[in-house]
Amino acid sequence: MTQLTRRRFNHALLGTAASLWVPQAGRAATAEPLVARPARARLAPAEYPETDVWAYGGTVPGPVLRVPQGARIARRFVNELPQPSSVHWHGIRIDNAMDGVPGVTQDAVAPGDGFLYDFTVPDAGTYWYHPHNRSWEQMARGLYGALVVEEPEAAPPVDLDEVLLIDDWRLTDDAQIAGGFGNLHDRAHAGRIGNWITVNGDGAWSREVGRFARLRLRLANTANARIFALETRGLEGWVVALDGMPLAAPEPLKRVTLAPAQRADLIVDVTAEDGVEALLVSFERDGGYALASFPVRGVARTARRPDPAALPPNKLPDLGPLDQARRVDLLMEGGAMGRMQAAMLDGRMTEMRDLAAVGKTWALGGMADMPEAPLIEAARGETIRIAMTNDTAWPHAMHLHGHHFRQILTDGSTGPLRDTLLMDRGEIAEIAFVADNPGDWLLHCHMLEHSAAGMMTWLRVA
């Protein structure tokens, strides 16, 4: 059987018809359970078998939960998997007890058991949910879904509001998910990079649109480790939000880079001619590949709409004076071709060879796993600065739970609000945030194999 490759994926996308994926709306508060269980999904073309996956609600991705800003979500998670699991609500400034991190905010939910997640959603935007126990395996098997929190005020009008969850899968020749989850090579290198890319679980995702239709595309990178560099063809517009948080003003759309866990909201107009396909394109080392197509059929209107206004901002506290903020340094070490010789593990200094023997190949602040003491203990409302140095040969996507932060730029200004920061090898970056959400919160690399191999720490907000 032919090996599945991105080139074959590209050919299939441009040359075959695709079934439409329709989001499933969630209610503001519901007793309907969110069930994680084994299932089968049509990831590859029809000449291949369906793929055995793990899924929320039996579908990959899981149901799209759409709720208004300020709504309460009450979902009982039911675990029908063969191993413990949990649900982390990524990017939501959530109550700490609902953050879904086993060993920090709750116990892992055993097979056959359940857990009630009950919380309010303070911020409008594009978020998602996924497991936080053995996430390097469970997400690679298909466990994730989108959470869309809609603005209470009138957002710029669009003809179509679409969630696009972009994932890569490591598939065998018979379209089954390859084993070797969390192996040492993946842990010490870039992470688990797949050979088959899907959008909303579809290897040939497509949506028919009219010329000059205005679309809101909610992009999310749900891959274990792949970084996507994205451009559009026949779609012109703006980036209006990053990681769920609206930009102060829409920025012209050029190339969008999404590290694992990052999101970007786009507002785009269909400028391709009737009968042509507009495309979302991913750029790899050997060229560009179409990820999603928008066949243009007919005309939505005779000309483009006026430029959109900014999305209404979410109400986050302003940063305090940065020159008075408490600052902590965080060194990122380890990995293949790295210079780390040893790190602390289980309370003792351990050489790299012994670390690798137990699957620990990275360190944050000299610790090759979760430390006993927090990186920092912050008073509620205190502005905190974390200066991170990536002294490794690999990029890392650093994700902070329970908060959004701003990067402090070289000229002293601050960047947009984010919850995940992509740091290239050798890069030094500093973030600042207001520690306004009480509890114990993770800070870790969202290349999932890196996190499992030691790139994880935590902080406490009193």
Side-chain angles (χ1 to χ4, degrees):
M1 189 170 288
T2 304
Q3 175 71 26
L4 297 179
T5 65
R6 290 191 300 279
R7 190 172 301 280
R8 178 169 173 80
F9 157 79
N10 182 51
H11 174 76
L13 178 59
L14 297 180
T16 65
S19 59
L20 298 181
W21 178 82
V22 180
Q24 304 174 39
R27 292 173 293 182
T30 176
E32 180 183 352
L34 185 65
V35 181
R37 59 180 175 82
R40 295 181 67 81
R42 168 59 61 197
L43 300 181
E47 62 264 32
Y48 291 89
E50 290 188 322
T51 305
D52 292 322
V53 299
W54 291 356
Y56 294 115
T59 64
V60 174
V64 175
L65 308 181
R66 283 185 178 265
V67 298
Q69 185 175 9
R72 175 182 166 211
I73 292 178
R75 283 266 172 158
R76 181 169 179 79
F77 168 62
V78 177
N79 184 10
E80 295 183 2
L81 302 172
Q83 60 184 234
S85 190
S86 69
V87 182
H88 170 56
W89 307 88
H90 187 110
I92 294 290
R93 297 185 301 132
I94 202 169
D95 290 341
N96 188 246
M98 297 290 106
D99 197 42
V101 181
V104 178
T105 67
Q106 67 172 94
D107 294 330
V109 180
D113 286 348
F115 184 91
L116 178 62
Y117 291 97
D118 190 345
F119 56 90
T120 58
V121 285
D123 303 316
T126 302
Y127 307 97
W128 63 303
Y129 58 93
H130 62 79
H132 223 288
N133 187 65
R134 294 180 64 90
S135 53
W136 38 271
E137 176 183 357
Q138 295 185 10
M139 286 179 60
R141 291 184 181 273
L143 280 172
Y144 56 82
L147 170 59
V148 174
V149 183
E150 297 176 329
E151 295 86 2
E153 305 172 30
V158 296
D159 300 299
L160 178 67
D161 185 328
E162 192 72 62
V163 177
L164 302 180
L165 302 185
I166 308 169
D167 194 9
D168 74 340
W169 305 75
R170 188 176 290 179
L171 298 185
T172 62
D173 288 347
D174 59 351
Q176 299 308 305
I177 297 173
F181 302 104
N183 66 67
L184 185 60
H185 181 276
D186 288 346
R187 288 181 178 228
H189 291 76
R192 184 182 173 99
I193 304 295
N195 58 354
W196 184 256
I197 299 174
T198 62
V199 171
N200 295 337
D202 192 338
W205 190 94
S206 181
R207 172 73 82 196
E208 192 172 291
V209 295
R211 188 165 194 241
F212 295 134
R214 176 158 286 184
L215 318 178
R216 180 170 180 173
L217 303 181
R218 302 173 182 266
L219 311 180
N221 182 353
T222 60
N224 272 36
R226 181 184 294 275
I227 301 168
F228 288 100
L230 305 172
E231 293 185 10
T232 58
R233 298 290 183 267
L235 301 169
E236 298 180 15
W238 305 264
V239 180
V240 295
L242 294 171
D243 291 354
M245 292 296 166
L247 300 181
E251 295 182 355
L253 175 60
K254 297 177 183 177
R255 176 172 290 194
V256 176
T257 299
L258 289 183
Q262 288 186 324
R263 288 92 64 213
D265 285 39
L266 314 180
I267 291 181
V268 296
D269 294 330
V270 180
T271 56
E273 299 284 345
D274 186 11
V276 176
E277 284 185 320
L279 299 170
L280 177 67
V281 180
S282 174
F283 283 86
E284 307 288 338
R285 291 180 178 179
D286 55 348
Y289 297 87
L291 295 187
S293 70
F294 298 85
V296 183
R297 303 288 183 265
V299 178
R301 56 186 54 83
T302 57
R304 294 182 66 178
R305 285 177 165 170
D307 293 0
L311 296 174
N314 291 314
K315 296 179 180 178
L316 275 74
D318 294 330
L319 293 173
L322 292 179
D323 59 349
Q324 299 176 26
R326 195 146 49 112
R327 183 178 182 274
V328 61
D329 294 315
L330 188 61
L331 179 63
M332 304 154 68
E333 300 176 280
M337 298 176 286
R339 296 179 292 184
M340 186 174 76
Q341 301 298 314
M344 293 293 294
L345 178 67
D346 296 330
R348 65 183 182 87
M349 188 61 68
T350 305
E351 294 184 357
M352 189 64 183
R353 178 182 299 179
D354 295 327
L355 291 171
V358 293
K360 302 300 179 182
T361 58
W362 306 91
L364 284 180
M367 309 293 293
D369 214 346
M370 279 281 284
E372 288 291 327
L375 175 69
I376 195 167
E377 293 191 55
R380 187 173 184 180
E382 183 181 3
T383 296
I384 299 296
R385 299 170 61 166
I386 302 178
M388 295 180 288
T389 299
N390 182 2
D391 188 25
T392 82
W394 305 92
H396 301 287
M398 298 305 295
H399 171 51
L400 176 62
H401 285 220
H403 298 78
H404 277 73
F405 55 77
R406 295 184 187 272
Q407 185 177 356
I408 303 174
L409 305 178
T410 54
D411 62 0
S413 63
T414 55
L417 287 162
R418 305 293 306 243
D419 63 47
T420 306
L421 179 68
L422 176 60
M423 293 187 62
D424 204 353
R425 58 182 184 179
E427 184 177 356
I428 299 173
E430 188 169 356
I431 62 173
F433 63 97
V434 178
D436 65 331
N437 198 354
D440 295 343
W441 302 103
L442 290 189
L443 172 62
H444 66 95
C445 179
H446 220 283
M447 277 75 167
L448 301 175
E449 289 72 29
H450 295 179
S451 180
M455 195 163 277
M456 181 180 294
T457 187
W458 63 288
L459 55 91
R460 173 169 289 160
V461 181

